[in-house]
Amino acid sequence: TFNKTLIAVSVALASTQTLAAGFQLNSQSATGIGRAFSGDAVIADNASVLSRNPAAMALFDEKALSFGVTYADISVTVKDVEKAGTPISFGSEHDAADSKVIPNFYYIQPLNDQWAFGLAAFSNFGTGTDTTALANNAVTIPGMGTVPAPVDLLGNTEVVTMNFNASLSYRFNDQFSVGAGLDLIYGQGKLSREGNLPIGPNGAMVNANLVDVDADGFAVGGIIGAVYEFNKDNRIGASYRLSPDFKATGDINTLNTQLGKVVSFDEINIPLPDIFQVAGFHQLTEKFAIHYTAQLSTWGDFDQITLTDGTVGGTPVVSSAPLKQYVWDDSWLFSVGGTYTINDKWTARAGYMHDQGVVNDISSISIPDSNRNWFTAGLSYNLSTHSTVDMGLAFVRGEDTEVLEHSAIIGDVIAHTRSDAVYYSVQYSYQF
């Protein structure tokens, strides 16, 4: 039964397209991908360490530059979308995600023996899935009429963020250094939930655009970090990234069937999680080192997406409205890896990461989250004493997950989801 009240539009701003907890990205560098980001907050073998820990800039004696690109080949399937407790099926989508190209840039400038300055551009969050093909798969049952697809749960989601960072580090002595940075985050998103619903005369099926969002905006966050060096071969580091509540403006429209009109909102608000990590690096022999990371993302802070300042024809009708509520858990990831120096030209690395899913009591077709395992490898080739080309490869494997989600249109919906990916990354690094 279609409930002709305010549609509880289950729009998700993200999905496992990113193949990390929630809609978090792990793609900041080729060296990081090659070692499953183990030790990335403290290794400091190139300037990309700036994405994880500004204090690690103190480990550089000379200027350093790194830039690169990651290609994420994503596979997300949403199978057997069904009305719970019935044989009514709306089909499957075996290609629900687009592959992505994710760039990065880092520059570190030591100012003197104590101070260093850095600039960076990279991404911590992003997503893209499309289940629009299922939104019009209404099912006609002889003698019972037509059951519409759960349009409020299906559609297109596209979110891109870029983090522009400026940081400073300060070395107190040979062992201890600290750092801090400012993040300017740009985000852009396109969301749609559209399909045929029985809202025409006498319950006729007509096309309804429940949500149409094309918005962007800026937000400000920050990061602090520290590094402790036991000696030249052993060190640990930690950082805490404070993420903002992101606000975007643009075309933000939802269908209110109680009013029978489209409500336009001025702003969409998305809380982002903070990120805390601890990392270690230990050069065990002249050629071999091990490294590790434990990272906590406070996805419990991502409780709801809200809209503000809704109007119809320029007349205010609502000051604030929840668009989607979540019950998520904070999420840990753990990674370990090794680096082996083959000779003066070649260095090899490998790693493993276990990334915990975030979904707790309320699951989502648009966010078919699960635990994931990363299996990674990488190589570096020294073009000269100053320049290096790095390559990274990661196989990311999720789990088959059964999702139960409530649709305001047809009631409870069951689906089966899975997310896998292969990451290919390359970067160029130069130390002056």
Side-chain angles (χ1 to χ4, degrees):
T1 301
F2 178 58
N3 183 8
K4 290 190 177 182
T5 59
L6 176 65
I7 295 177
V9 186
S10 299
V11 174
L13 272 188
S15 75
T16 50
Q17 186 275 336
T18 56
L19 274 294
F23 50 97
Q24 191 169 342
L25 283 172
N26 283 315
S27 60
Q28 288 81 14
S29 69
T31 45
I33 285 178
R35 54 182 170 242
F37 296 97
S38 58
D40 249 33
V42 76
I43 291 181
D45 50 356
N46 59 66
S48 66
V49 71
L50 189 53
S51 69
R52 301 279 175 160
N53 188 356
M57 292 192 298
L59 301 173
F60 289 80
D61 296 325
E62 303 291 342
K63 293 180 290 184
L65 171 72
S66 290
F67 58 88
V69 65
T70 297
Y71 176 76
D73 185 8
I74 309 299
S75 173
V76 174
T77 59
V78 180
K79 298 190 300 181
D80 304 325
V81 180
E82 300 173 349
K83 178 174 169 58
T86 75
I88 300 173
S89 176
F90 303 100
S92 302
E93 176 55 70
H94 295 280
D95 188 18
D98 293 329
S99 298
K100 296 293 178 184
V101 176
I102 310 164
N104 58 72
F105 171 87
Y106 308 95
Y107 176 75
I108 294 174
Q109 170 72 66
L111 303 177
N112 53 41
D113 291 340
Q114 291 181 303
W115 290 95
F117 172 72
L119 294 172
F122 56 94
S123 182
N124 280 324
F125 304 100
T127 184
T129 57
D130 194 350
T131 55
T132 304
L134 304 180
N136 287 317
N137 288 354
V139 177
T140 300
I141 302 175
M144 295 181 62
T146 300
V147 179
V151 177
D152 53 338
L153 307 184
L154 304 170
N156 182 57
T157 302
E158 181 76 22
V159 177
V160 178
T161 69
M162 182 60 71
N163 191 331
F164 302 96
N165 172 272
S167 294
L168 281 172
S169 69
Y170 180 79
R171 176 179 285 281
F172 284 94
N173 50 46
D174 290 341
Q175 282 75 46
F176 187 60
S177 305
V178 298
L182 186 69
D183 293 327
L184 179 63
I185 305 168
Y186 172 76
Q188 182 182 34
K190 295 181 180 180
L191 314 172
S192 65
R193 297 294 183 267
E194 181 179 3
N196 291 329
L197 294 174
I199 58 177
N202 299 318
M205 299 288 287
V206 298
N207 183 264
N209 195 338
L210 305 186
V211 169
D212 185 10
V213 175
D214 187 352
D216 65 354
F218 286 91
V220 177
I223 184 172
I224 57 173
V227 169
Y228 186 83
E229 301 169 74
F230 298 97
N231 52 49
K232 67 181 182 65
D233 293 328
N234 299 275
R235 54 187 178 268
I236 59 172
S239 67
Y240 191 93
R241 170 162 265 119
L242 179 66
S243 297
D245 285 348
F246 192 86
K247 298 180 179 180
T249 60
D251 296 325
I252 306 169
N253 304 303
T254 66
L255 175 64
N256 185 318
T257 55
Q258 189 174 31
L259 297 174
K261 296 180 179 180
V262 172
V263 180
S264 298
F265 291 86
D266 288 344
E267 193 172 71
I268 185 169
N269 306 291
I270 310 105
L272 298 177
D274 296 344
I275 304 171
F276 169 73
Q277 62 183 300
V278 178
F281 172 83
H282 306 284
Q283 188 74 42
L284 301 183
T285 70
E286 183 179 352
K287 289 184 174 292
F288 181 67
I290 62 169
H291 24 84
Y292 47 86
T293 288
Q295 177 179 293
L296 173 68
S297 298
T298 62
W299 281 110
D301 297 337
F302 184 70
D303 55 351
Q304 66 177 358
I305 300 169
T306 57
L307 305 175
T308 57
D309 298 330
T311 62
V312 174
T315 302
V317 294
V318 61
S319 60
S320 179
L323 184 61
K324 174 70 175 177
Q325 293 183 323
Y326 297 86
V327 180
W328 281 11
D329 290 329
D330 294 345
S331 173
W332 283 94
L333 68 77
F334 304 94
S335 64
V336 62
T339 297
Y340 183 76
T341 303
I342 300 172
N343 52 42
D344 291 342
K345 288 292 187 180
W346 291 96
T347 300
R349 59 185 60 88
Y352 166 77
M353 178 166 65
H354 178 72
D355 189 14
Q356 293 180 338
V358 300
V359 174
N360 187 356
D361 294 334
I362 301 178
S363 55
S364 172
I365 294 174
S366 297
I367 309 181
D369 201 33
S370 72
N371 295 336
R372 296 173 196 85
N373 295 301
W374 292 57
F375 306 93
T376 74
L379 284 172
S380 293
Y381 179 74
N382 295 324
L383 299 171
S384 68
T385 56
H386 296 284
S387 61
T388 304
V389 173
D390 305 295
M391 295 157 283
L393 176 67
F395 295 92
V396 187
R397 293 296 176 260
E399 300 174 349
D400 292 321
T401 304
E402 183 175 274
V403 176
L404 174 64
E405 187 171 12
H406 184 76
S407 166
I409 298 172
I410 65 169
D412 289 342
V413 175
I414 292 177
H416 297 83
T417 65
R418 184 179 176 92
S419 305
D420 297 313
V422 181
Y423 280 28
Y424 307 88
S425 187
V426 63
Q427 76 185 35
Y428 174 79
S429 297
Y430 191 90
Q431 297 202 25
F432 295 81

